[in-house]
Structures are given as C-alpha cells and as structure tokens.
C-alpha cells in the first residue's frame, strides 16, 4: 500500500499533518500547549488569543456544548494569561512544530503595544513561528468585531505592519455571509503583501441558545449571546475558505476552521483550498485523541480515492454537474 504523505505548509512552515487546534481550545496555559505539541497528530499549535494583561474573562457559565458534542456556544470574554506568558511559554516549550501566537488586544493601542514588545523585546532565539492577529472576537461588550468594519480593519493592518515585520503574520477572520463582503475583505487583505495566511472562520458570533425547560439562556454573559461552533457552522466555514481562496493570491494560505467533526470535514476544507485545518469544538469536548481519529478517517478517504498527498486534491473542488433530473 502506498504510504500517505499528510504534510503541508502554512506560511512556508512545515507541518507533518494538516490539523491543529483552533485558537481558544486547549491552548490557554503551558500544560495544554505542551499536550498539543506532544500530540503526533497535530501539526502545529496556536495559543489562546492574548491581551496585554492577564484576564479572568466573563462570568460562568460561558461555554456550553449542545446536540451531544457537535455544537458549542461560547462567550469566554478573552480569559488569558497575558502576552508575556505566551512568549515565555514558547521559550519554555521549545516547540518542534510551528507555535503560533494569537493576539487580540482590546484596543488598537493594546495591539500595537503587544506588537512592539514582540518586535523589540523578544530575543531571536524565542521559537515563535508566526503571529495571528485576531480580527474577530465576538464576545467583548462594546467592542464590535473589527473584521466587520473594513475601514477599521484596513487601519489596524496598516498600523500593525508599520511597527511589526519580524515574523510571519496572519489574520483570523469572522465569517462573512455575502459575496460583496468576501470581495471587500479580500480587497483590504490584498493591500498587505506581508499577510501570509488567513484563518477562517471564527465562531458565528452572537447566536442564542435557550434551555426551554428552565426557560433560560444557556450562557450567563451578554444576555446569553455567544459564538456558535461545531457541525452546524461547516457550510459557512467552507463558503468562506472557498471564497477567500479564490480571491487571494497564492502567497496567502487559507487555514480552514469550523465544523470539523469527522475526517470527511477536513477533506472538504482541503478540497475548498485550505492549506491546513483547525479543530475546536470536537477537541474541546472529546479531547486531543480526536486528532488521531480524524487523521485516520482522512487517511482512509485519501487511500480509497487513490490520493497519496494533500496536494493531489487540495483546492480542486469542481462545480456540480448540470443535470435535468431531479428537477428541483
Ligand atoms: C474569545 C472568543 C473568540 O471567538 C475569539 O476569537 C477570541 C476570544 C473569547 O470569548 O475569549
């Protein structure tokens, strides 16, 4: 049987498998980051989005799964250990696979201050592979998602690249729901050739889940509103991966995120042009062993189709064949 090569690259960084954690899941502290790094079926790790200072986040309950483990709602409120913690974690962990840091300042000044720290105060020996600017946190009261305000996004990127050029940079995007918004987002991103990847999608922001027996919201913060993840967001995630892949130059990788519950979901993300695929809700609810389960399922699909490497099918999605029947 031909051996399978599951290796991929993101921003030119080699990964032995296309899978890694979605930011926010299993990546808030050093032991969790170590577990992802030690997992042979995860090709990289990305940290919890960090702010300048440690944050406790929103009151609990702030995360719930629903429909078994296929869905989630969260309003975490950026609980994290602060930017210095994740820099030191990189140093301590000495990762042998890409270690991405996710930044999500509460203000423009805070983002610039974190970037300035990373530009000037971090030794060249600290093994951070790249930075991801999170433009899409939906859970902070009074702070709209910057990825939905194209002028603000443009300004944030312009200022970021004025003060930071030390490491590869990517952005985490919110889901878009209209081709005009894919066009507008891509037009902004194309202005910054330093952008090496886009991760799409963040959770679908500001959903509401109701407990009909208790007649209460599932979450406490923000009147119960929270970001939706899990199987139900896969069509939106795939549409964003596919649409941005078509609109961005080859120098920008698209990292797929959203709706991965099985290996076939990863296969679909890759067909839509994803260079790598992140897993959130599934890992959060069932544990890191799911990286192995999903990898085995992906390998089975590839073998049964005669593919030996990811590049055999990545981005090759075809349009449905026109047909007369069925009629609808
Ligand atoms: C949080 C949620 C997000 O979707 C995100 O991108 C960043 C932070 C949070 O609530 O902690």
């Amino acid at each position: 049987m031909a051996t399978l090569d599951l290796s991929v690259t993101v921003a030119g960084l080699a990964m032995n498998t296309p899978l890694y954690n979605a930011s926010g899941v299993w990546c808030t502290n050093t032991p969790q980051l170590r577990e992802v790094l030690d997992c042979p079926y995860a090709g990289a790790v990305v940290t919890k989005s960090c702010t300048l200072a440690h944050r406790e986040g929103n009151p609990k309950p702030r995360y719930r799964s629903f429909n078994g483990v296929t869905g989630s709602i969260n309003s975490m409120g950026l609980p994290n250990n602060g930017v210095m913690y994740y820099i030191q974690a990189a140093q301590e962990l000495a990762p042998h696979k890409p270690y991405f840091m996710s930044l999500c300042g509460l203000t423009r000044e805070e983002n610039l201050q974190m970037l300035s720290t990373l530009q000037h105060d971090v030794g060249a020996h600290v093994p951070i592979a790249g930075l991801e600017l999170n433009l899409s946190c939906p859970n902070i009261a009074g702070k709209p998602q910057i990825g939905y305000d194209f002028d603000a996004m443009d300004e944030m990127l312009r200022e970021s690249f004025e003060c930071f050029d030390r490491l590869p940079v990517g952005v985490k995007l919110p889901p878009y729901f209209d081709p005009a918004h894919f066009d507008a987002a891509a037009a902004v991103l194309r202005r910054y050739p330093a952008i090496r990847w886009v991760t799409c999608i963040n959770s679908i922001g500001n959903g509401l889940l109701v407990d009909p027996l208790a007649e209460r919201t599932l979450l406490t913060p923000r009147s119960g509103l929270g970001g939706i993840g899990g199987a139900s967001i896969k069509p939106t995630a795939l549409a964003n991966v596919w649409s941005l892949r078509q609109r961005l130059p080859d120098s920008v990788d698209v990292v797929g995120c959203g709706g991965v519950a099985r290996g076939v979901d990863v296969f679909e993300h890759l067909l839509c042009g994803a260079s790598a695929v992140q897993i959130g809700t599934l890992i959060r609810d069932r544990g890191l062993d799911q990286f192995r389960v999903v990898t085995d399922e992906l390998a089975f699909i590839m073998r049964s189709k005669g593919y030996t490497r990811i590049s055999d099918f990545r981005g090759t999605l075809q349009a449905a064949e026109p047909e007369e029947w069925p009629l609808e």
Side-chain angles (χ1 to χ4, degrees):
M1 189 159 47
T3 48
L4 285 188
D5 176 1
L6 296 181
S7 67
V8 298
T9 62
V10 170
L13 300 156
M15 297 170 42
N16 69 325
T17 93
L19 303 179
Y20 58 120
N21 66 300
S23 177
V25 172
W26 223 288
C27 58
T28 300
N29 54 43
T30 310
Q32 290 176 337
L33 292 162
R34 180 180 285 116
E35 278 192 77
V36 180
L37 288 169
D38 286 347
C39 173
Y41 299 94
V45 68
V46 55
T47 69
K48 170 69 183 169
S49 290
C50 65
T51 48
L52 204 48
H54 169 274
R55 282 174 57 85
E56 285 297 326
N58 290 336
K60 296 174 181 175
R62 59 192 186 182
Y63 179 95
R64 286 270 194 254
S65 51
F66 57 90
N67 294 339
V69 294
T70 55
S72 65
I73 181 166
N74 86 85
S75 181
M76 305 300 289
L78 272 169
N80 78 94
N81 290 307
V83 66
M84 288 312 299
Y85 178 96
Y86 298 100
I87 295 170
Q88 281 156 13
Q91 190 151 17
E92 193 178 319
L93 291 164
H96 55 283
K97 54 178 85 156
Y99 176 102
F100 295 107
M101 265 184 74
S102 171
L103 305 187
C104 190
L106 294 179
T107 60
R108 149 189 175 281
E109 292 76 17
E110 195 175 328
N111 268 334
L112 297 178
Q113 209 174 323
M114 289 192 284
L115 288 171
S116 166
T117 298
L118 283 150
Q119 177 80 7
H120 301 292
D121 306 337
V122 177
H125 59 282
V126 179
I128 300 167
L131 292 191
E132 185 163 277
L133 298 175
N134 185 347
L135 305 176
S136 48
C137 173
N139 295 336
I140 304 294
K143 306 273 181 200
Q145 292 163 85
I146 203 168
Y148 286 143
D149 178 339
F150 296 113
D151 291 335
M153 176 164 140
D154 195 10
E155 181 73 356
M156 186 71 249
L157 292 172
R158 188 180 58 73
E159 292 186 315
S160 298
F161 289 117
E162 271 168 17
C163 75
F164 187 86
D165 64 2
R166 258 191 76 166
L167 292 169
V169 173
V171 297
K172 176 84 171 259
L173 296 174
Y176 298 109
F177 302 95
D178 193 288
H181 293 163
F182 295 136
D183 290 342
V188 172
L189 297 168
R190 281 196 303 263
R191 281 179 210 138
Y192 300 94
I195 293 178
R196 301 294 306 277
W197 74 89
V198 299
T199 302
C200 48
I201 57 177
N202 208 318
S203 56
I204 297 185
N206 299 296
L208 180 64
L209 280 152
V210 169
D211 177 343
L213 282 180
E215 303 180 9
R216 290 177 181 277
T217 61
L218 284 195
L219 300 186
T220 296
R222 300 176 53 254
S223 308
L225 301 191
I228 305 297
S232 66
I233 77 167
K234 186 176 76 170
T236 303
L238 294 179
N240 277 258
V241 168
W242 176 234
S243 301
L244 285 165
R245 181 62 286 161
Q246 288 172 320
R247 286 165 172 79
L248 294 172
D250 289 344
S251 57
V252 182
D253 286 308
V254 177
V255 176
C257 183
V260 173
R262 309 290 304 267
V264 68
D265 305 319
V266 175
F267 183 74
E268 291 175 16
H269 268 278
L270 295 167
L271 268 182
C272 290
S275 296
V277 180
Q278 300 177 343
I279 310 183
T281 300
L282 181 71
I283 295 294
R284 167 73 173 67
D285 286 348
R286 292 212 192 154
L288 292 186
D289 188 49
Q290 292 301 312
F291 279 126
R292 180 186 58 77
V293 174
V294 169
T295 302
D296 283 351
E297 290 170 351
L298 174 65
F300 178 83
I301 292 166
M302 286 175 61
R303 282 207 178 87
S304 61
K305 286 173 172 275
Y307 295 136
T308 58
R309 54 178 67 86
I310 304 280
S311 58
D312 289 346
F313 61 91
R314 193 175 72 81
T316 62
L317 183 67
Q318 300 289 305
E321 293 262 25
E323 60 179 338
E324 300 297 317
W325 186 93
L327 291 175
E328 66 270 29

